[in-house]
Amino acid sequence: MALTNTTITSWKLQEIVAHSSNVSSLVLGKSSGRLLATGGEDCRVNIWAVSKPNCIMSLTGHTSPVECIQFNSSEERVVAGSLSGSLRLWDLEAAKILRTLMGHKANISSLDFHPMGEYLASGSVDSNIKLWDVRRKGCVFRYKGHSQAVRCLAFSPDGKWLASASDDSTVKLWDLIAGKMITEFTSHTSAVNVVQFHPNEYLLASGSADRSVKLWDLEKFNMIGSSEAETGAVRSILFNPDGSCLYSGSENTLRVYGWEPDRCFDVVHVGWGKVADLAISNNQMIAVSNSQTNVSWYVVDLNRVKKSGSVIQGLIQDKPIPVPTSALGTTLRRNYERPTTSCSGQEMKQSSEADRRSPEGERRSPSSEDEKDDKESSAEITNHEDFKEIFQPRSVISRTPPKKTEPFPAPLEHSFSESVLEKPGPTVKIVTPVIDRAGQLKAPIISSTPVQRVEPTVITAARPVVTTSVPSPSRPVVTITKPKPGPGIILSTRNEPIGLNAGDFLSHARNSKASVMGDEEALAQIRKGHDTMCVMLTSRYKNLDTVRSVWASGDVKISLDSAVSMNDLSIVVDILNIINLKPSLWKLDLCTSILPQIEELLQSKYESYVQTGCTSLKLILKRFWPLISDTLTAPPSVGVDITREERHQKCKACYKQLKNLSNVVKNRAEQVGRHGSTFKELQLLMAPLDY
């Protein structure tokens, strides 16, 4: 068989473990397309260079999860908003905290830097938008008008307008000079996730959860284009640098749109999942997405993407709108006038004067509390070589021309013949992150091991990450990092089967040369354990059928007892997942049966079991703790009351089990990340047990 090679349009560049807990926000630097900032539930902001496995810098100071991040236009500063509503601004070149800004009453959901002045805007779940003067460390103006969370903010290229997108399905345009709303666009039918200004013309684009992209004329304030065929919610949009087309990122798909008339030039299927951000570098689209603690980079070769020409029919409803043109054939739409100086003068002066009449706009001098916040924040450089390469040349005079970034090489799409597997090829670099006892990421360990295939990972406390490499005769070096969950936890969302070793399907090397396994031998390996699996699944089916037949009688307690008697936690979890959906099914005698099972679930190695146990325990504490407490503290009754005595015995048994569970919850609450926060919540609910 011959090996045929063709260059592919899109590919996965790299996957890393970005934080010790779930990633909650991320953003690409739009100027270079080579810088990434990630925020996590571990309250840190980490700075990365695209395609490099090591974190350049780790920024601390926030005391709650980082919900939103943004670079300024020069990528020398980064601002991060937290769940508590605070903002922290860092100078990346100086590696220090610049400002801590407080004022929002809910978590930050959107951020943007003013293109020229020392200002930034922040939007919150509290529906307010605030404009901040970074130099004076105060709120300059507050814009009120949205009724729900503000999901995206964007300044116009000339710095005079601010566009905001909200969960209330509207896009609003604000005049920074007058300090008021100019207009409101209301054609979207669901939450608007993203807005962006055209780089030159008076155009605004918006993408929504209603699966459409819309374009708005900012001279006539009307809609001039709308798409209708996205496969999912539009999560990110980006104009081509020359303004010729608009890129739209939805789940696993990139679309290229034109307007006047509406048309779709191209559709590229990319396996990026729910894409978080887009940037362009060297005529390549750099995209980033995240899943739990992992962040993945993807590349789309724009040289192989149609940005003009014929329209892909059926993807978009064409609306032939005549385009006004001059004698030279160019559009007559107005362009932005970019001032050569900062807008800190006359433009913001009017806003400042108007703002002094508002208590929200009162400027304040740095307080001792703010200075304390700044001292608690830090910028730790974890990779000095990359830091010097990326940030230092901007602040020193270089005797040689700056090094230009090169496009990422595209891997080849090929069909393998048998002989391909025998040829040695470049190995894949594997990055194993090291997490210390405090839960913080340290420098990863890089290894390179030539093997034949990827071996699925089984996560245990002793061996948290299994690293492998895949040979390819023409594929460039790609860096891959596998997620490291908490010790002994098997994630509920995973891509590889548990307990299956792909190496069993491959023959061992003889005389240092790879040999090809025959079909019969491979099938024999695949059949290993098949009969055992069939027996196990058949047994589980019979058990569930038994529980279902008992459930049909209408007695939930007997159904649950039958599930417990089978000594199979998976059956108990299945039943609990149903009961948890309807809290009215819970009774006190049900608690006595299930609390011992919850103790096992909370200590299980399976994440899904732990989640189910936590949900059930929350329901019990919220619905039955007042009854248990009142019954046990009530004075003894006069005479014989059998019902009361039975209730007292059940409450006593529940209390004893809850006390045992409180120790498990207390130990688990020390974990970092999502599970730690869940157990902390349970610990608060169980606090009355100690009194």
Side-chain angles (χ1 to χ4, degrees):
M1 293 177 61
L3 178 66
T4 57
N5 291 334
T6 56
T7 305
I8 63 177
T9 303
S10 63
W11 63 95
K12 186 175 183 177
L13 180 66
Q14 184 186 26
E15 183 174 355
I16 59 171
V17 175
H19 290 265
S20 57
S21 58
N22 286 348
V23 176
S24 51
S25 57
L26 61 167
V27 68
L28 286 163
K30 300 300 185 293
S31 298
S32 68
R34 299 300 180 98
L35 210 58
L36 172 73
T38 63
E41 292 181 359
D42 57 5
C43 310
R44 284 177 170 256
V45 175
N46 291 335
I47 308 297
W48 308 80
V50 175
S51 82
K52 295 190 177 182
N54 298 322
C55 173
I56 301 172
M57 192 183 307
S58 187
L59 312 175
T60 62
H62 279 298
T63 56
S64 58
V66 178
E67 295 289 304
C68 189
I69 319 176
Q70 190 59 261
F71 286 107
N72 70 342
S73 57
S74 64
E75 299 177 4
E76 297 172 359
R77 294 180 177 181
V78 67
V79 63
S82 72
L83 186 66
S84 65
S86 65
L87 299 171
R88 278 178 166 80
L89 175 67
W90 287 272
D91 185 324
L92 299 179
E93 280 194 356
K96 68 176 184 180
I97 183 77
L98 282 182
R99 292 286 183 269
T100 299
L101 305 170
M102 313 288 286
H104 282 290
K105 298 178 181 178
N107 57 300
I108 306 298
S109 52
S110 54
L111 291 164
D112 197 29
F113 278 93
H114 193 276
M116 288 154 285
E118 291 283 332
Y119 298 91
L120 64 88
S122 60
S124 172
V125 172
D126 64 13
S127 77
N128 289 327
I129 302 169
K130 290 179 182 286
L131 184 68
W132 304 88
D133 186 331
V134 175
R135 294 165 301 182
R136 292 179 172 82
K137 202 176 184 181
C139 177
V140 175
F141 212 89
R142 181 174 66 174
Y143 303 93
K144 301 179 70 174
H146 286 294
S147 58
Q148 295 183 42
V150 181
R151 292 299 172 190
C152 186
L153 292 171
F155 284 101
S156 60
D158 61 3
K160 295 181 180 179
W161 291 347
L162 176 67
S164 59
S166 171
D167 282 353
D168 61 13
S169 307
T170 66
V171 175
K172 297 183 188 294
L173 196 64
W174 308 87
D175 188 326
L176 297 181
I177 298 175
K180 64 180 182 180
M181 186 177 74
I182 302 173
T183 189
E184 179 183 42
F185 301 119
T186 59
S187 296
H188 283 295
T189 58
S190 188
V192 187
N193 296 326
V194 60
V195 288
Q196 193 187 36
F197 285 92
H198 189 281
N200 303 312
E201 300 177 15
Y202 270 44
L203 278 177
L204 180 71
S206 59
S208 168
D210 64 11
R211 305 192 304 166
S212 72
V213 175
K214 300 186 186 297
L215 283 113
W216 315 90
D217 187 311
L218 298 184
E219 290 184 283
K220 300 178 181 178
F221 300 118
N222 62 348
M223 186 175 71
I224 64 165
S226 176
S227 73
E228 302 294 344
E230 292 280 356
T231 55
V234 179
R235 302 177 61 83
S236 188
I237 57 176
L238 183 67
F239 279 103
N240 202 58
D242 61 6
S244 60
C245 62
L246 176 69
Y247 301 103
S248 167
S250 57
E251 187 164 356
N252 291 321
T253 306
L254 174 71
R255 279 180 163 80
V256 188
Y257 290 123
W259 55 93
E260 294 180 322
D262 295 350
R263 52 210 189 274
C264 181
F265 294 127
D266 206 350
V267 177
V268 182
H269 296 284
V270 191
W272 55 33
K274 295 181 179 180
V275 62
D277 201 14
L278 303 173
I280 293 176
S281 174
N282 293 314
N283 210 29
Q284 290 181 330
M285 173 75 72
I286 311 298
V288 64
S289 63
N290 65 287
S291 174
Q292 296 183 344
T293 61
N294 285 26
V295 170
S296 301
W297 282 289
Y298 294 83
V299 179
V300 180
D301 186 355
L302 297 182
N303 292 315
R304 299 174 58 83
V305 174
K306 292 181 181 179
K307 297 185 280 292
S308 61
S310 59
V311 179
I312 297 180
Q313 298 296 333
L315 290 175
I316 193 163
Q317 182 181 356
D318 287 337
K319 301 175 183 177
I321 303 173
V323 184
T325 59
S326 66
L328 298 177
T330 57
T331 61
L332 294 177
R333 187 172 284 112
R334 184 179 172 188
N335 285 0
Y336 296 106
E337 297 176 1
R338 292 177 173 82
T340 56
T341 59
S342 170
C343 66
S344 58
Q346 183 65 27
E347 291 186 16
M348 289 299 180
K349 184 176 180 181
Q350 295 183 33
S351 293
S352 301
E353 290 173 354
D355 208 54
R356 290 192 188 101
R357 298 190 291 270
S358 162
E360 280 292 333
E362 292 179 1
R363 292 192 179 92
R364 56 190 180 87
S365 58
S367 65
S368 59
E369 183 179 347
D370 295 330
E371 290 174 0
K372 180 183 177 182
D373 287 338
D374 289 351
K375 288 179 181 178
E376 292 176 352
S377 301
S378 67
E380 178 189 353
I381 300 173
T382 56
N383 189 325
H384 289 273
E385 290 184 5
D386 286 345
F387 175 77
K388 290 178 181 178
E389 180 183 345
I390 295 172
F391 295 110
Q392 263 191 310
R394 300 178 185 177
S395 57
V396 297
I397 298 175
S398 178
R399 296 181 180 272
T400 58
K403 186 170 67 173
K404 294 183 179 179
T405 57
E406 296 294 330
F408 295 111
L412 296 178
E413 188 175 46
H414 42 256
S415 58
F416 285 102
S417 66
E418 289 185 357
S419 60
V420 170
L421 292 175
E422 298 177 3
K423 296 179 181 179
T427 57
V428 177
K429 288 184 181 178
I430 305 300
V431 181
T432 306
V434 179
I435 303 181
D436 62 18
R437 293 182 179 178
Q440 308 302 337
L441 285 171
K442 289 187 174 181
I445 301 170
I446 300 178
S447 62
S448 182
T449 309
V451 295
Q452 289 297 313
R453 287 288 185 87
V454 175
E455 179 184 348
T457 303
V458 181
I459 300 169
T460 63
R463 191 187 179 192
V465 178
V466 177
T467 62
T468 58
S469 60
V470 186
S472 168
S474 305
R475 191 176 294 270
V477 173
V478 180
T479 307
I480 302 172
T481 306
K482 293 190 177 183
K484 179 189 180 305
I489 295 295
I490 296 177
L491 300 178
S492 57
T493 55
R494 56 186 182 270
N495 295 322
E496 56 274 313
I498 298 301
L500 182 64
N501 187 348
D504 291 341
F505 305 130
L506 302 172
S507 57
H508 299 288
R510 298 187 183 94
N511 300 324
S512 301
K513 292 183 179 180
S515 60
V516 180
M517 177 183 289
D519 290 345
E520 290 299 325
E521 190 179 354
L523 286 172
Q525 293 288 351
I526 292 173
R527 291 193 188 101
K528 276 187 176 179
H530 174 73
D531 294 338
T532 304
M533 178 61 71
C534 287
V535 170
M536 185 191 71
L537 291 176
T538 303
S539 173
R540 184 171 181 185
Y541 172 79
K542 289 180 179 178
N543 288 339
L544 284 172
D545 193 51
T546 302
V547 174
R548 186 191 62 81
S549 60
V550 177
W551 182 280
S553 66
D555 194 324
V556 179
K557 174 71 163 55
I558 296 177
S559 301
L560 190 59
D561 287 341
S562 66
V564 170
S565 65
M566 293 172 183
N567 293 321
D568 187 349
L569 272 183
S570 64
I571 305 296
V572 175
V573 169
D574 289 338
I575 302 302
L576 279 180
N577 284 334
I578 297 171
I579 301 175
N580 288 343
L581 294 175
K582 196 170 183 181
S584 59
L585 293 175
W586 284 87
K587 306 296 181 185
L588 187 61
D589 55 353
L590 199 65
C591 298
T592 59
S593 297
I594 202 58
L595 279 171
Q597 303 302 312
I598 290 178
E599 185 172 358
E600 290 187 49
L601 293 178
L602 295 187
Q603 299 180 82
S604 171
K605 64 179 180 179
Y606 297 105
E607 183 185 37
S608 58
Y609 287 19
V610 176
Q611 290 171 344
T612 300
C614 288
T615 303
S616 299
L617 185 55
K618 282 182 188 177
L619 282 170
I620 292 173
L621 289 169
K622 289 179 179 179
R623 292 179 63 87
F624 295 102
W625 171 246
L627 171 65
I628 294 171
S629 177
D630 292 345
T631 301
L632 295 179
T633 56
S637 59
V638 178
V640 178
D641 188 340
I642 297 177
T643 304
R644 178 186 171 92
E645 285 296 322
E646 289 178 349
R647 184 168 62 248
H648 188 274
Q649 290 299 323
K650 292 175 183 177
C651 288
K652 189 175 180 181
C654 288
Y655 178 79
K656 183 179 179 180
Q657 284 294 334
L658 287 172
K659 284 291 288 184
N660 293 337
L661 281 170
S662 66
N663 295 326
V664 177
V665 170
K666 184 178 179 181
N667 293 333
R668 288 298 187 101
E670 297 174 359
Q671 293 179 352
V672 176
R674 180 181 58 187
H675 296 301
S677 60
T678 302
F679 280 107
K680 285 185 178 72
E681 183 182 353
L682 285 173
Q683 190 176 18
L684 290 174
L685 290 173
M686 302 183 83
L689 288 168
D690 297 328
Y691 301 120

